[in-house]
Structures are given as C-alpha cells and as structure tokens.
Amino acid sequence: IYRIYKEDIRYCYSQGRLSYLVLKEKELAFYMKLDELAERLGKSFVRIHQRYLVNSLWVDFIGKDSITLKDDVSLPISRSLREAATARLAKALLGDF
C-alpha cells in the first residue's frame, strides 16, 4: 500500500487491463479502468487520449497534436478529445480551473 499525493502524479496511462500512475521516480501498475481513475482523481486530471490522463499541474506546453510536461515528456492528444482537452488544459494553465 502506497500513499500517493495527487500533485505527485504526472500522468496516467492504460495498457491492456492495467493502468499506470507515472510519478517522478517510479511507475505503479494496478487494475482499474482509466475512466474510473479519472473520476477518483478529480478535475485537475484531463483525458487527452484513449490511453492517457494527464495532471494539468504538470503541463508546460499545449501543441496541436501533443502536450509537453514540465519534465519534457511529450504525450499525444487524440483528434476526438483535442478540443475539450485543450480547452480544459488552457484554463488550468491560466489558473482558471
């Protein structure tokens, strides 16, 4: 059992039946759907792709097809979620969440 603070989670992704929390120093795998994880984590986490959920606190740049996190990790934004994800992330970057 780990105690994890939401602000320490950079992003989450799913692969097969597993979901992963990506933290600064490690990744944790567990069984949970990404939709359920998004509900539990709250509004500061934004779904940017079928496989990715990102913590808006870690977003540094929003591009056309991807976002870049403060630690230079780049994640794709899907076409179907681009408009909603970009709007939510832009609000978060402006501190208007």
Side-chain angles (χ1 to χ4, degrees):
I1 297 175
Y2 293 96
R3 178 180 295 235
I4 300 168
Y5 298 97
K6 289 180 185 180
E7 57 271 4
D8 292 338
I9 302 170
R10 287 173 165 71
Y11 65 96
C12 309
Y13 69 96
S14 65
Q15 188 170 8
R17 293 178 18 177
L18 289 173
S19 289
Y20 296 82
L21 294 181
V22 179
L23 310 169
K24 182 177 181 177
E25 299 172 3
K26 60 184 163 187
E27 288 187 20
L28 302 173
F30 54 96
Y31 291 100
M32 183 181 291
K33 292 183 179 182
L34 216 50
D35 286 335
E36 184 181 340
L37 185 58
E39 285 181 30
R40 288 184 178 208
L41 291 173
K43 65 181 181 179
S44 66
F45 285 80
V46 179
R47 188 74 175 260
I48 60 168
H49 190 277
Q50 180 181 355
R51 292 185 54 206
Y52 293 99
L53 180 65
V54 67
N55 185 345
S56 60
L57 300 173
W58 284 95
V59 174
D60 193 40
F61 175 77
I62 304 168
K64 180 182 175 191
D65 298 324
S66 65
I67 61 155
T68 305
L69 302 181
K70 293 178 182 177
D71 56 359
D72 289 328
V73 172
S74 182
L75 300 173
I77 299 177
S78 69
R79 281 181 275 156
S80 61
L81 296 173
R82 182 179 301 141
E83 188 176 328
T86 302
R88 285 191 60 203
L89 291 170
K91 283 184 177 184
L93 285 174
L94 295 171
D96 197 21
F97 219 26

